[in-house]
Amino acid sequence: MITKTSVSPARAGGTLFSILFAVSLVHLLNDTIQSVVPAIFPIVKESLQLSYTQLGLIAFALNATASILQPAIGFYSDSKPKPYLLPLGMAATLVGVLGLALAGSFSVMLLSVALVGIGSAVFHPESAKIAYMAAGQRRGLAQSIFQVGGSTGQALAPIMTALIFVPLGQFGIIWFTIAAAAAIAIQTYTARWYSSQLRLRPAKRKLQQTAPTTTGSRRQVRFAVSILLLLVSTKMAYLAAITSFYSFYLIEHFQLPIGQAQWIVFGFLFAGAVGTFFGGAIADLWGRRNMIWFSIIAALPFALALPYVNVQLSVLFSIIIGLTIMSSGSVTVVYAQELLPGKVGTVSGLFFGLSFGMGGLSAAALGMLADATSIGFVIKLCALLPLLGLMTILLPSDTKLKQWSSQAEQSQVNL
């Protein structure tokens, strides 16, 4: 007798919400742990006497590790899936959390965040593939459920600073070993389901491996993927500025205490989590490209004005920007997956890896720039980044994307 969790979504045509909620919960735990790193910046800057450049390098170590490994793991897992890498990756994260709690130097901090980065590198491409497998016909919604866990975890960073790290200090990180242990347990469950799906559909996996990986002409697809990568890069650079340095701007410019500044950043990130969830569901009805367009156009005027408004409007504008600019996060990944059918792991690893890489590079570069100029200059400069989102106009229309997808499906049938 086949249990409910053994039914293939492709056969049943349905969406397995139990699996989607499981990977979303682990995404929340994983990204909450990741978010510990920028959350402790205001604390360790004083306790370890770190410069803005060193803070940027810590963020870079976390993101660069994940960025380099994620595409490689995604590419490898497309041909040789390894479900039980998922709990092993979270074990690396657990060791990294212990290191962060006990680190007494800059070098130990770097090593610890690298271990957390390794855990994330394993988690994202493989879990994105699980979400894809469990989606049925509702890929936008499924990817949103998966990514909203991560967005929510990121949103918790400023709250952790205000409620945990300000009163408890750096050692308060030790409590997050509980989150890592819970993630290992859930990953064992999802890995078991993933493994059962691989046994149920060997023929489909073989077909995917032999199917063409492009839909339109190679030049058109490469160009569209390049535009998507540019959009992700500029968005992550902007998010790095907000999550790593906007609290310092608020503290310096408005003389806010650390706790209040972190709550404003939380408003931005929590609104982003809401936008991530609804963006994917709306895109299933409205279209992928339309949703990407909306996320840029709706956020742009508020992003440009943010450095020049008073503290009250800063709160309001931060919420509006977070809600809109992050509403296309899951949509961009699904759009790319449909551009490159049969390479879900590779695409997911590439885009999540790029997100981490650009976040880390941007944090490091912006930290150096802040030391050389000022936090105010950095925030004003980054306000211009969403302008590059206007490149969305060059993406193929949803009608064209569906046409290419139909051609790819017909090619699979002809094989």
Side-chain angles (χ1 to χ4, degrees):
M1 181 177 181
I2 298 175
T3 62
K4 182 177 180 181
T5 57
S6 297
V7 176
S8 168
R11 293 180 188 174
T15 303
L16 289 180
F17 287 101
S18 60
I19 297 299
L20 291 174
F21 289 140
V23 294
S24 182
L25 178 57
V26 178
H27 204 175
L28 184 150
L29 296 171
N30 180 82
D31 283 29
T32 297
I33 293 170
Q34 280 182 205
S35 297
V36 164
V37 177
I40 61 173
F41 279 178
I43 307 300
V44 297
K45 187 178 189 299
E46 298 300 323
S47 63
L48 300 181
Q49 295 296 298
L50 302 179
S51 66
Y52 285 122
T53 298
Q54 288 176 309
L55 294 178
L57 289 173
I58 290 171
F60 174 75
L62 170 67
N63 291 291
T65 304
S67 176
I68 293 169
L69 290 178
Q70 281 191 65
I73 291 172
F75 179 79
Y76 178 76
S77 71
D78 276 336
S79 58
K80 296 180 180 180
K82 302 292 182 184
Y84 288 96
L85 276 177
L86 289 165
L88 289 176
M90 291 308 304
T93 297
L94 176 59
V95 176
V97 170
L98 286 170
L100 286 172
L102 302 173
S105 67
F106 174 64
S107 59
V108 176
M109 289 285 293
L110 286 177
L111 177 61
S112 299
V113 298
L115 286 170
V116 175
I118 290 171
S120 290
V122 174
F123 168 77
H124 284 97
E126 284 293 84
S127 294
K129 186 183 292 185
I130 291 175
Y132 187 91
M133 293 168 68
Q137 300 301 313
R138 306 172 74 178
R139 292 177 184 171
L141 175 63
Q143 191 65 219
S144 287
I145 291 173
F146 169 59
Q147 287 194 212
V148 75
S151 299
T152 304
Q154 294 168 18
L156 293 175
I159 293 182
M160 290 188 292
T161 300
L163 301 182
I164 298 176
F165 301 130
V166 169
L168 298 181
Q170 179 184 341
F171 189 71
I173 299 170
I174 200 73
W175 288 101
F176 292 90
T177 57
I178 299 173
I184 291 172
I186 299 170
Q187 288 292 64
T188 301
Y189 164 73
T190 56
R192 189 178 297 119
W193 177 85
Y194 184 9
S195 182
S196 72
Q197 294 301 295
L198 295 177
R199 291 193 299 269
L200 281 171
R201 40 177 153 176
K204 184 173 182 180
R205 292 205 314 279
K206 184 177 180 181
L207 181 62
Q208 287 178 337
Q209 291 168 13
T210 58
T213 57
T214 58
T215 45
S217 73
R218 291 180 183 274
R219 183 177 179 181
Q220 288 174 311
V221 172
R222 281 198 299 265
F223 181 74
V225 170
S226 298
I227 295 299
L228 289 175
L229 293 174
L230 174 64
L231 295 178
V232 170
S233 298
T234 54
K235 180 187 294 185
M236 293 311 300
Y238 183 77
L239 295 181
I242 299 298
T243 57
S244 295
F245 299 110
Y246 189 53
S247 61
F248 291 108
Y249 172 79
L250 293 168
I251 292 167
E252 180 182 297
H253 194 67
F254 297 115
Q255 289 75 53
L256 295 181
I258 292 176
Q260 288 185 23
Q262 292 291 342
W263 278 106
I264 294 176
V265 177
F266 167 74
F268 170 85
L269 293 171
F270 182 77
V274 174
T276 297
F277 177 75
F278 286 104
I282 293 171
D284 281 338
L285 302 173
W286 192 21
R288 319 279 191 231
R289 184 173 178 265
N290 291 337
M291 197 65 221
I292 296 172
W293 251 130
F294 169 79
S295 72
I296 299 300
I297 299 301
L300 187 56
F302 299 100
L304 292 172
L306 184 63
Y308 307 100
V309 297
N310 59 32
V311 66
Q312 290 80 15
L313 285 178
S314 293
V315 176
L316 177 61
F317 282 18
S318 295
I319 292 172
I320 293 173
I321 295 167
L323 183 68
T324 53
I325 203 169
M326 295 174 71
S327 63
S328 64
S330 62
V331 181
T332 303
V333 176
V334 174
Y335 190 103
Q337 289 170 346
E338 293 178 351
L339 273 171
L340 297 168
K343 292 188 174 292
V344 177
T346 302
V347 170
S348 301
L350 175 63
F351 276 82
F352 283 115
L354 179 69
S355 296
F356 278 84
M358 284 306 303
L361 284 171
S362 299
L366 293 174
M368 294 177 186
L369 185 60
D371 280 333
T373 56
S374 68
I375 283 292
F377 177 80
V378 166
I379 296 301
K380 290 176 181 177
L381 177 66
C382 290
L384 302 175
L385 286 172
L387 283 169
L388 293 173
L390 297 176
M391 297 289 285
T392 300
I393 196 172
L394 300 176
L395 287 174
S397 67
D398 291 284
T399 301
K400 179 64 70 175
L401 190 62
K402 290 178 182 178
Q403 178 185 336
W404 289 354
S405 297
S406 297
Q407 291 171 355
E409 290 173 3
Q410 186 61 43
S411 297
Q412 289 180 351
V413 171
N414 292 337
L415 286 176

